[in-house]
Amino acid sequence: MYSADRCLFVDSIRVSRQDGLFLSDKTGPSSFVSSISLKTQKCFVDKNENVCLVSCSLGGQTLGPVKSRRSGGKGGWVLSVSLSREEGYVGDSGEDWGQNGDNNLETVEEVKEKKGSGALNTTKHLWAGAVAAMVSRTFIAPLERLKLEYIVRGEKKSLIELIKWIAASEGLKGFWKGNFLNILRTAPFKAINFYAYDIYRSQLLKLYGNKEATNLEMFLAGAAAGITATLLCLPMDTIRTVMVAPGGEALGGLIGAFRHMIQTEGFFSLYKGLVPSIISMAPSGAVFYGVYDILKSAYLHSPEGRKRILDMKQGGQELNAFEQLELGPVRTLLYGAIAGACSEAATYPFEVVRRHLQMQVRATKLGALATCVKIVQQGGISALYAGLIPSLLQVLPSAAISYLVYEFMKIVLKVEPA
């Protein structure tokens, strides 16, 4: 039995085209040898004293048990290690040492970072947006319920009277009616929306070769993000509207409402109001993201903003997630609320038309323009803004909280820029 210090003697390393890595004569850079840590696991030798089992570590990555074999029964020991084609080491002179004699290998750490890093970052990015939607929607669910009562039911009661009526007829939980379905709708919508905006803005920067996005690029990216999210998530929004509408309780929940719409009106009934949805979401996304990023850019280029960024760099890892927010918590909430209010006010009539289109049945189905005209004829121009006040009361905290949580989660999850 050999002791640990007699099990293996390492002088240098060379690369073989056939059998992996061998430790033999002084044929490789000394820095590579020093990066290899050899640790005895169970050192035993056969009767010919030519095999020893050791554990090898390269750059902190354990390669597992390997066999050390005496070369020709004389001299030192030879370490045979099998590395994948993507693992390797760059020597002092910059020469890459590869398993197959190719100069194309990277360090183990670099390879591991590259594998799946894009998919992982995308997943984290989407989760940041989804969590932001979950938190904000749950917080403002009562206001969302009030808005739907005004739009869908055409409620004529005052805001205070409506609150009292819901509390008396359905109790406190009535204010969160449909919230779970709302989360199922808004979580993927917001996740896709936030992620798509960052992707489109990044691509526009590359396309035009700018270091910072212009106002036009921000608006274009926001509009494209809104359209993308709408196309993917509109069916869930339609089902939710039908469930909350009068008689929706009898449909039997999400599955029942889905089955009812497919059986009675066909699959494309899930995309009722698609045109006004796209028409509304394009400017809505443009204003929402554009206003926020314009305000953010203006602050970061101000003396106060530059000083904050400098202080953050000096603080480094000692800062918590809230302290790492570029705008700070209060300013993030404020700018998010302003962006949300501007977006809602600019596109609210489209929202009203879309809800009415979703409520129509096939027998009385009208187009977007005809529906808009009908709404104006029945209630005047003000009918296009029915429920705007409760909607703004809902949007202000919703946009503020969603932006704060989104920026916070990106820091917590260490999301890389798109």
Side-chain angles (χ1 to χ4, degrees), residues 1 13 76 79 98 104 131 159 186 189 200 226 234 243 260 267 316 321-322 331 339 360 390:
M1 186 71 65
I13 188 166
L79 176 64
N104 62 354
V131 172
L159 186 60
T186 57
F189 182 86
Y200 289 137
L234 183 62
M243 287 180 62
H260 172 77
F267 174 78
F322 282 110
R331 201 175 295 272
Q360 293 177 0

Side-chain angles (χ1 to χ4, degrees), residues 392-411:
L392 286 176
L393 291 176
Q394 169 242 327
V395 166
L396 286 172
S398 174
I401 293 171
S402 64
Y403 249 120
L404 176 65
V405 176
Y406 175 65
E407 298 286 3
F408 175 81
M409 290 303 299
K410 284 204 299 182
I411 294 172

